[in-house]
Amino acid sequence: MPFSFLASDPTVRRNWSISLCPLCYIAPANGYAKYDCAAGILHTVFFHRTLSLVRPKDVDCKFLEITYVQCGLPELEKEIDEKIEQFIAWVEKHPNRRSQVCLSFFDEKSKNPGWFVNKTERIYWEQWFINLHVTSPKRESNSSKGLTNIGWNALVETSSRHAALESSINEVLFQIINFANEKKDHIPAIPDRIFNHEIMIPRDDSSSDSVFGWNTDVIRRVLNSGHPYSL
Amino acid sequence: MAAAAGASEPPMVEQVITEFFAKSLHIILESRSPYDSSRNFTRPSPPSSPLSGSQPRDRWFNLALRDCPAALENFDLWRQSNLEPLVIDIVLLQRDSTKTTSAGAGRIIERWVIKYEANRAGNGSKNTGKKSRSSSAHDHSLYRRAYSGSTVLFRSLYLVVRLLPAYHLFQELNSSGRIRPLSLSHKISSFVEPFTRAEDADMKHYAFAPIETHSGLLSLSVSYVPVLEVAAAPEPTTPMATELIMDYVGSPTTDFLRKFNSLPSDGIAPACVAMTRRHSWSTEHGAGPSASPSHMPTNNSPTTYPHQHSTSSSGKKRDTVNEEYYPSPPLSPSPSRSPSSHPRNPFFRYESAPLSIATARAGGGGTRLPPSPHRKDKQQCSFQNENLIHSPSDKSIVTNDLVRVGEVRNEKSLQKVLSFGKDDLVYFPGVKLARTSSKLFIMDELDEQELVFAWEDKDAIIDQLNRIDLSDRENPDSSQEAGGSLTRSPDAAIGILMRILKSAPGLRERLLTAPAAPVPQEPSSLQRVVTEEHGSGESSSAMVPSALLRSRTAADALEELNRYKEIRESILNRGKGHPRDTKMEEKPADGDP
């Protein structure tokens, strides 16, 4: 087979736990922090898996001192941006909850082609699970200190958190680089367009736990495809 | 070894190997070579897809990069080495203000090693029995694996070069046009010069997953300094070279400024010209060039405007090239004297002028200085020019250089000078400073417009007031005539006053006169009027030092006008009290214009 279905390969299905700490009480740029993190990760994965001709575009994070790279494909960028916006909206609606973004690449094959039925099945050849935990910083409760002390402590805490976030994002990006380069044999032949993909983010209308609600769709799809799949 | 390895590889794979080296070099130098960086080269972006406008080399590994001449040139040299290792050292060069950069002064902050290792016998020798049929397919498969693997690797390389610490330095050096004491250079060789133990201890290493080829292995690794401790010295601002811009609003071609262009440029420091101001102070006081206001003279004694240097230490060093390495251009340092490093441009527009207007105040009262232009973006001005002093009302910005001085003798006068009111204008003779920085230029434009409007109102008054003195000196008769108006009607007095105002010398003409010692002169008619009015027979009060006449502001002129009105009223009142005089004044009034 030219490729192998590696959804069950644990080396690909790595989970990265990143704690995003929005500076909601110090700086109004917390939206940038979330956006930077999510965009940096997603775009990096796509950049490694968009093997058609690209003209990379450097993007300097607004909040973090990190430069990530986009593929320079407007449609893809628009799609990713929309997903990120939806994800951030969900995170802000459900603060302090763990969330997961799944980025899947697949091939589509027609299943049992017939005269009247043209069913296609998706064969996922790679999936990236990105676990994110957006937390809110704890507020200073020591009321005995003066305002200046509170402000100073908050500032110090903010800056340290900022540095930690930057460091963790940097580490995650290197992890993506490592994984993207370790396993390459399963990647289909280089196409002249973007690989089929989908980005799944938590939704509010999912049953019970909205964080993992989308998993049911994935499972259903996998079962229909008939391929072994283990979460 | 390399040649032999190259020969054992299929041609397709060999081409992949060659292009692998080229692409690696391109990606690395594109983000490490400030001079030749393609970030500075704007390539027209393709309209809709990356396919359009791409060059043949972009198609390799499907990664379209911007042009990087350094990479192309260096690779041509390397190509002759026949697949020897490619070692790219990124060197951080630090130069001081006294000497140029030398080859040994740099510190290697990154070392990229790209090499092809042959002697891997297993890849291409499988299934020797069926080699004839499947060898081509196998070769093709190997080629595809090597190519797709390299494609992914270069995506990673492109990202890694931007995640490493040197990239931020590169961005800093490349993006701003400021001259910095640091520069990045690169050195390409075909052998790995081992690091010293200390250097190696500081380095971190990262290796990409190697790419298997038919008979070898392509590897790419980097050793880098994880923390770049760059000196955090405040970077001196490098003002842009002054240049003449003739087609701006209020340019010398307009009538408004033409008369100022005709005046000599020697003169008074401009208000918001950072570099000239800084330099003037530092030069004058023998201090090192500095933008710190602390270098300003603390005493308010009059200082003459110093000549500016025409030195440009930064300019001299600007074009120094480090030829030891493949040059990235010398971002030569500019010491803190950057403002002073620019030669004095004769075309300065002085924003304010310590012009003195003939004051009618008794006792030769304080120094009258012309008002400074009202600045809209005074914040920028003050930011750029630390020598600026905000007036207490913060409505205008003046500088100590305004005190062109022999005239200001005491602090009180200076205080008064510096407290300019809103909408006051000051104008120095001289020509226009076209540009020292973008901000300054904007201010100039704004001020031009302001001046256009304001001067029309006040310039005439100030000129005429000044002409009073000159005409008095030149034509004592007129002053006599003016003085005779006292005995005439109030209308006649007003008419004479207007005539005096119209014939008064201009402020700029006043500035032309060298600061001479106060010369006792005949009191002008105006002054005579004042002395008569106030009943003061003191000649000293009427003796207005010529130096004081130099500084006049429109506000002062208006004040004087008001004073004249008061005089007129007092004359009128007196006239009522002396009907006989009134009758006499009335007669000539008819004939007066």
Side-chain angles (χ1 to χ4, degrees):
Chain A
M1 292 178 66
F3 58 87
S4 59
F5 182 46
L6 289 178
S8 59
D9 188 342
T11 60
V12 174
R13 286 170 49 251
R14 292 283 175 157
N15 298 331
W16 295 273
S17 295
I18 308 164
S19 294
L20 300 182
C21 306
L23 308 175
C24 54
Y25 71 99
I26 292 295
N30 52 347
Y32 286 135
K34 293 176 215 163
Y35 185 90
D36 285 346
C37 293
I41 293 169
L42 287 178
H43 280 288
T44 298
V45 175
F46 270 106
F47 185 60
H48 283 87
R49 289 296 182 255
T50 304
L51 302 184
S52 53
L53 179 62
V54 296
R55 192 179 298 276
K57 186 168 81 174
D58 301 346
V59 178
D60 296 326
C61 291
K62 291 183 176 57
F63 188 73
L64 305 173
E65 281 193 21
I66 292 176
T67 300
Y68 62 91
V69 183
Q70 296 182 359
C71 297
L73 301 172
E75 290 180 3
L76 179 63
E77 288 169 16
K78 185 182 173 186
E79 178 190 348
I80 295 174
D81 279 349
E82 285 173 359
K83 289 292 183 181
I84 292 173
E85 293 294 331
Q86 292 173 17
F87 172 69
I88 291 174
W90 185 91
V91 163
E92 288 173 352
K93 207 173 177 181
H94 305 87
N96 292 322
R97 288 186 68 172
R98 296 182 182 275
S99 56
Q100 192 176 68
V101 176
C102 177
L103 176 52
S104 308
F105 296 95
F106 59 89
D107 276 338
E108 275 192 336
K109 271 191 173 180
S110 56
K111 180 183 178 183
N112 300 328
W115 288 99
F116 303 103
V117 177
N118 190 12
K119 215 175 175 183
T120 58
E121 62 175 341
R122 287 183 175 181
I123 300 177
Y124 293 88
W125 51 269
E126 193 171 271
Q127 281 185 310
W128 298 74
F129 296 92
I130 304 165
N131 292 326
L132 300 166
H133 185 199
V134 181
T135 60
S136 298
K138 295 176 184 177
R139 296 189 180 272
E140 289 289 338
S141 59
N142 191 346
S143 58
S144 62
K145 291 184 182 176
L147 280 175
T148 52
N149 282 345
I150 291 174
W152 175 253
N153 290 338
L155 201 62
V156 170
E157 190 180 342
T158 298
S159 62
S160 65
R161 208 180 300 128
H162 185 115
L165 181 61
E166 224 170 75
S167 173
S168 65
I169 295 297
N170 219 24
E171 191 182 327
V172 165
L173 296 184
F174 269 99
Q175 285 185 19
I176 295 173
I177 291 168
N178 291 337
F179 287 123
N181 280 274
E182 274 181 26
K183 300 286 182 180
K184 292 177 284 194
D185 294 340
H186 64 284
I187 300 175
I190 297 176
D192 56 355
R193 59 181 181 84
I194 313 171
F195 287 124
N196 293 326
H197 61 274
E198 66 178 356
I199 306 171
M200 303 195 70
I201 58 173
R203 291 179 301 178
D204 287 333
D205 54 349
S206 303
S207 59
S208 65
D209 191 351
S210 59
V211 175
F212 301 104
W214 57 264
N215 276 352
T216 54
D217 295 334
V218 175
I219 292 172
R220 193 183 311 118
R221 199 179 302 127
V222 169
L223 290 174
N224 289 338
S225 68
H227 284 267
Y229 186 89
S230 63
L231 293 175
Chain B
M1 181 182 84
S8 66
E9 296 278 3
M12 290 189 300
V13 178
E14 189 175 332
Q15 195 174 16
V16 170
I17 294 171
T18 304
E19 294 301 328
F20 184 93
F21 280 82
K23 204 74 171 183
S24 304
L25 186 65
H26 194 160
I27 293 171
I28 293 167
L29 289 188
E30 189 209 23
S31 60
R32 292 291 186 273
S33 180
Y35 179 73
D36 294 327
S37 168
S38 55
R39 284 177 81 105
N40 289 334
F41 293 88
T42 54
R43 194 176 174 182
S45 57
S48 57
S49 74
L51 294 175
S52 57
S54 61
Q55 300 186 10
R57 62 172 178 270
D58 294 339
R59 303 291 301 195
W60 277 103
F61 312 109
N62 282 342
L63 191 62
L65 302 172
R66 295 190 183 90
D67 293 333
C68 183
L72 298 174
E73 290 166 7
N74 290 302
F75 186 71
D76 288 339
L77 294 172
W78 176 89
R79 197 188 290 269
Q80 301 166 8
S81 63
N82 204 9
L83 295 182
E84 287 182 359
L86 186 60
V87 181
I88 307 167
D89 287 336
I90 306 298
V91 184
L92 181 64
L93 301 171
Q94 193 155 8
R95 47 183 105 227
D96 53 25
S97 59
T98 56
K99 46 187 176 180
T100 59
T101 304
S102 61
R107 178 192 177 194
I108 299 176
I109 58 173
E110 280 181 0
R111 171 171 285 173
W112 300 84
V113 179
I114 307 138
K115 54 185 176 182
Y116 170 78
E117 292 172 342
N119 296 332
R120 289 182 59 90
N123 290 346
S125 60
K126 292 177 183 176
N127 298 326
T128 52
K130 300 179 181 177
K131 191 175 180 182
S132 58
R133 269 197 301 170
S134 63
S135 61
S136 60
H138 185 67
D139 288 347
H140 184 79
S141 171
L142 284 174
Y143 162 78
R144 180 169 116 19
R145 279 178 58 190
Y147 185 82
S148 61
S150 301
T151 302
V152 178
L153 184 145
F154 286 128
R155 300 286 199 272
S156 300
L157 176 62
Y158 191 91
L159 183 60
V160 166
V161 296
R162 280 151 180 79
L163 293 178
L164 294 181
Y167 183 68
H168 295 291
L169 182 62
F170 162 79
Q171 274 186 312
E172 280 287 309
L173 296 176
N174 208 40
S175 57
S176 77
R178 293 183 290 181
I179 298 175
R180 295 167 183 266
L182 299 172
S183 69
L184 280 179
S185 181
H186 59 272
K187 177 183 166 190
I188 298 177
S189 60
S190 59
F191 61 92
V192 179
E193 189 179 333
F195 289 121
T196 63
R197 191 172 286 182
E199 285 175 337
D200 198 47
D202 291 339
M203 291 280 192
K204 278 192 174 178
H205 305 277
Y206 183 82
F208 292 85
I211 304 294
E212 289 187 5
T213 61
H214 188 271
S215 305
L217 203 67
L218 281 166
S219 64
L220 196 154
S221 63
V222 60
S223 302
Y224 63 96
V225 176
V227 178
L228 285 176
E229 292 176 357
V230 175
E235 292 155 359
T237 57
T238 304
M240 296 174 63
T242 55
E243 52 182 83
L244 291 175
I245 300 176
M246 306 305 294
D247 56 348
Y248 54 86
V249 174
S251 67
T253 55
T254 63
D255 291 335
F256 172 63
L257 284 179
R258 191 170 295 157
K259 50 191 169 183
F260 298 103
N261 282 339
S262 62
L263 298 172
S265 60
D266 273 344
I268 303 156
C272 294
V273 179
M275 56 185 196
T276 56
R277 290 210 62 250
R278 281 183 198 162
H279 177 75
S280 66
W281 285 120
S282 62
T283 302
E284 177 186 359
H285 299 281
S290 168
S292 167
S294 63
H295 288 269
M296 291 169 53
T298 53
N299 59 332
N300 291 317
S301 60
T303 56
T304 56
Y305 182 71
H307 283 286
Q308 279 200 328
H309 291 314
S310 59
T311 59
S312 176
S313 60
S314 58
K316 285 177 186 172
K317 295 178 184 175
R318 190 183 291 271
D319 297 327
T320 304
V321 175
N322 175 26
E323 296 179 356
E324 185 72 15
Y325 294 89
Y326 294 94
S328 59
L331 302 175
S332 54
S334 165
S336 59
R337 62 190 336 197
S338 56
S340 63
S341 63
H342 280 255
R344 183 180 171 198
N345 192 305
F347 284 83
F348 278 127
R349 187 190 68 153
Y350 299 99
E351 306 300 346
S352 57
L355 300 174
S356 60
I357 301 173
T359 177
R361 186 170 287 186
T367 307
R368 314 303 276 168
L369 292 185
S372 63
H374 174 59
R375 307 258 175 254
K376 290 183 184 176
D377 49 347
K378 53 180 80 71
Q379 294 299 326
Q380 290 181 343
C381 180
S382 61
F383 174 74
Q384 293 219 357
N385 189 345
E386 297 180 16
N387 285 338
L388 294 175
I389 299 173
H390 284 273
S391 64
S393 62
D394 200 25
K395 290 180 179 178
S396 62
I397 296 176
V398 298
T399 71
N400 278 343
D401 285 346
L402 293 182
V403 184
R404 174 157 178 182
V405 105
E407 299 83 332
V408 179
R409 299 286 176 191
N410 53 62
E411 202 171 35
K412 272 191 180 177
S413 306
L414 182 59
Q415 298 280 341
K416 197 174 291 186
V417 164
L418 296 180
S419 59
F420 293 156
K422 187 179 177 181
D423 294 330
D424 289 336
L425 283 180
V426 174
Y427 208 92
F428 275 107
V431 292
K432 180 175 176 61
L433 169 66
R435 183 178 185 140
T436 55
S437 69
S438 59
K439 288 184 182 179
L440 202 56
F441 176 65
I442 291 170
M443 283 165 45
D444 288 346
E445 284 184 336
L446 293 174
D447 294 335
E448 285 292 350
Q449 294 173 6
E450 274 190 328
L451 286 172
V452 166
F453 288 107
W455 253 159
E456 286 174 358
D457 296 332
K458 299 167 188 174
D459 187 15
I461 298 171
I462 295 173
D463 284 354
Q464 289 149 15
L465 289 173
N466 278 331
R467 282 191 209 104
I468 294 173
D469 244 5
L470 286 181
S471 63
D472 288 341
R473 287 189 229 165
E474 295 167 5
N475 305 311
D477 296 336
S478 63
S479 63
Q480 283 288 343
E481 185 185 6
S485 65
L486 276 176
T487 59
R488 302 182 185 180
S489 66
D491 290 338
I494 294 167
I496 291 168
L497 175 63
M498 291 307 299
R499 194 165 55 244
I500 290 170
L501 289 175
K502 284 179 183 175
S503 60
L507 281 172
R508 294 153 295 289
E509 297 168 17
R510 175 65 57 185
L511 283 176
L512 282 181
T513 60
V519 175
Q521 51 183 316
E522 279 195 36
S524 64
S525 58
L526 198 58
Q527 295 153 8
R528 211 176 302 146
V529 168
V530 175
T531 53
E532 291 254 8
E533 168 55 30
H534 291 278
S536 166
E538 300 152 340
S539 57
S540 60
S541 62
M543 302 289 287
V544 179
S546 62
L548 285 177
L549 297 179
R550 204 163 288 152
S551 313
R552 306 196 69 174
T553 66
D556 296 333
L558 288 172
E559 270 187 44
E560 281 191 339
L561 192 61
N562 291 331
R563 222 175 296 117
Y564 296 146
K565 286 183 185 174
E566 290 170 7
I567 295 168
R568 168 180 172 269
E569 286 175 8
S570 69
I571 292 172
L572 282 173
N573 293 335
R574 243 194 326 170
K576 288 176 186 175
H578 300 276
R580 182 184 163 191
D581 291 336
T582 305
K583 281 185 185 175
M584 293 178 64
E585 288 167 1
E586 278 177 359
K587 285 179 188 175
D590 300 334
D592 283 338

